[in-house]
């Protein structure tokens, strides 16, 4: 590749980077402006970098309560997804028969179904469970966690399934000969070897669950249970939109997941590639 081609590719990549970063720039600079300054020129830098709008946004969003709800729901959901999906994938790989292959195909096929087609049937089923089995599935953290597990299990099983194929079965057989139970074989031998793909699954699910608006909006109606994405909707009223506070609220929303992603990003491509190819 000659110098002109490299220069052209670099310029194209720089333009693409600017295009992808422009919404973040708009969000950040407008979070420091009042409404008049924002409407005057949304692209310009603010006259002063005051955090007063962040304080107002946190107060109106009830940020600490929403942050606690999002953190609890995300951590518990991801923990269950990782444990259940890894165990399921391990059993499907090690039980290589027609039934296990059919079950795996069912998991993979559910990834192709858009959530929007399941919204109304899902709410009807959850309401039926609440009414007939007296299990509170709607307007509870537990109900949302249960649904998060169901909707994110398929991708996790798919990734774990591909990665587990690279784990030598001889290690498991040796542990079994030494008297280790199936439960012990998985937790002492297999699961520690799944570190890379486990972190990858956790990152993808944390980002998806933390930023999810649609499912929590259908499930949670109590203000005290709202997650951060639901709380940001406060700024978008029927007749007015508080854009400056909304920008501050959105900035507060993405900071935790961006920090988490920065510390764990090196595992994403590595884990996905390993899980898809092996």
């Amino acid at each position: 590749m000659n110098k002109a081609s490299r220069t052209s590719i670099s310029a194209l990549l720089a333009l693409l980077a600017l295009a992808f970063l422009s919404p973040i720039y708009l969000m950040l600079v407008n979070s420091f402006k009042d409404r008049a300054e924002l409407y005057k020129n949304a692209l310009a830098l603010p006259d002063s970098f005051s955090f007063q709008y962040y304080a107002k946004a946190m107060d109106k969003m009830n940020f600490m309560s929403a942050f606690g709800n999002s953190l609890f729901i995300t951590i518990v959901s991801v923990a269950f997804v990782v444990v259940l999906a890894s165990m399921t994938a391990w059993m499907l790989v090690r039980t290589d028969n027609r039934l296990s292959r059919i079950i795996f195909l069912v998991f993979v096929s559910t990834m192709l179904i858009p959530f929007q087609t399941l919204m109304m049937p899902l709410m009807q089923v959850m309401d039926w469970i609440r009414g007939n089995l007296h299990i509170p599935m709607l307007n509870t953290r537990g109900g949302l966690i249960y649904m998060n597990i169901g909707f994110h299990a398929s991708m996790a099983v798919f990734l774990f399934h591909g990665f587990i194929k690279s784990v030598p079965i001889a290690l498991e057989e040796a542990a079994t000969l030494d008297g280790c139970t199936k439960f012990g074989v998985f937790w002492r031998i297999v699961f520690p070897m799944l570190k890379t793909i486990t972190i990858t699954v956790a990152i993808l699910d944390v980002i998806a669950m933390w930023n999810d608006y649609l499912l929590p909006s259908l499930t949670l109606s109590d203000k005290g249970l709202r997650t951060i994405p639901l709380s940001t909707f406060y700024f978008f009223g029927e007749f007015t939109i508080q854009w400056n506070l909304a920008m501050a609220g959105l900035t507060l929303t993405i900071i935790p997941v961006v920090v988490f992603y920065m510390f764990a990003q090196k595992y994403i491509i590595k884990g996905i590639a390993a899980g898809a190819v092996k």
Side-chain angles (χ1 to χ4, degrees), residues 31-271:
S31 66
F32 293 98
K33 300 177 182 178
D34 59 24
R35 296 181 66 180
E37 188 180 359
L38 186 151
Y39 287 129
K40 182 179 180 181
N41 189 349
L43 296 176
L45 291 173
D47 293 336
S48 63
F49 288 89
S50 172
F51 287 92
Q52 59 176 315
Y53 301 113
Y54 283 88
K56 290 181 180 179
M58 290 181 67
D59 181 59
K60 292 191 175 183
M61 289 172 61
N62 196 8
F63 180 79
M64 296 310 298
S65 174
F67 180 83
N69 290 331
S70 289
L71 190 64
F72 176 78
I73 290 169
T74 301
I75 290 177
V76 175
S77 299
V78 170
F80 272 104
V81 168
V82 166
V83 172
L84 297 177
S86 60
M87 296 177 72
T88 301
W90 178 60
M91 290 303 298
L92 291 176
V93 171
R94 295 300 183 237
T95 311
D96 190 14
N97 54 39
R98 185 175 182 182
L99 179 60
S100 66
R101 289 192 289 270
I102 291 174
I103 294 174
F104 177 67
L105 287 175
V106 170
F107 272 107
V108 174
S109 63
T110 57
M111 295 164 54
L112 305 176
I113 304 175
F115 173 74
Q116 288 78 4
T117 63
L118 303 174
M119 289 192 304
M120 295 308 298
L122 175 67
M123 292 301 104
Q124 291 172 351
V125 170
M126 294 300 107
D127 189 57
W128 182 89
I129 292 175
R130 180 181 60 182
N132 293 274
L133 302 180
H134 306 293
I135 301 175
M137 300 301 294
L138 297 177
N139 202 31
T140 62
R141 297 184 187 92
L144 180 56
I145 290 170
Y146 177 80
M147 285 180 265
N148 275 337
I149 295 169
F151 283 111
H152 291 86
S154 298
M155 174 66 79
V157 168
F158 172 72
L159 293 174
F160 276 117
H161 190 277
F163 197 91
I164 289 172
K165 289 180 180 179
S166 67
V167 177
I169 194 172
L171 296 175
E172 301 172 32
E173 293 172 345
T176 302
L177 290 175
D178 288 338
C180 198
T181 63
K182 261 195 177 306
F183 188 81
V185 167
F186 177 77
W187 288 110
R188 295 180 182 179
I189 306 299
V190 178
F191 192 73
M193 301 181 70
L194 304 179
K195 177 182 177 182
T196 302
I197 193 64
T198 297
I199 296 175
T200 300
V201 170
I203 293 170
L204 296 176
D205 284 344
V206 164
I207 294 173
M209 294 179 192
W210 186 271
N211 294 323
D212 188 20
Y213 172 82
L214 190 53
L215 183 58
S217 69
L218 295 171
T219 309
L220 305 176
S221 57
D222 191 340
K223 291 183 178 180
L225 297 176
R226 288 180 179 175
T227 59
I228 287 184
L230 290 183
S231 297
T232 58
F233 191 70
Y234 173 88
F235 304 113
F236 300 90
E238 183 177 359
F239 302 106
T240 60
I241 300 178
Q242 297 171 292
W243 282 111
N244 56 334
L245 297 183
M247 295 299 104
L250 291 173
T251 302
L252 292 170
T253 300
I254 68 171
I255 286 176
V257 74
V258 168
V259 172
F260 174 76
Y261 178 83
M262 288 175 63
F263 281 102
Q265 61 178 324
K266 64 179 181 180
Y267 294 99
I268 293 182
I269 302 301
K270 183 179 179 181

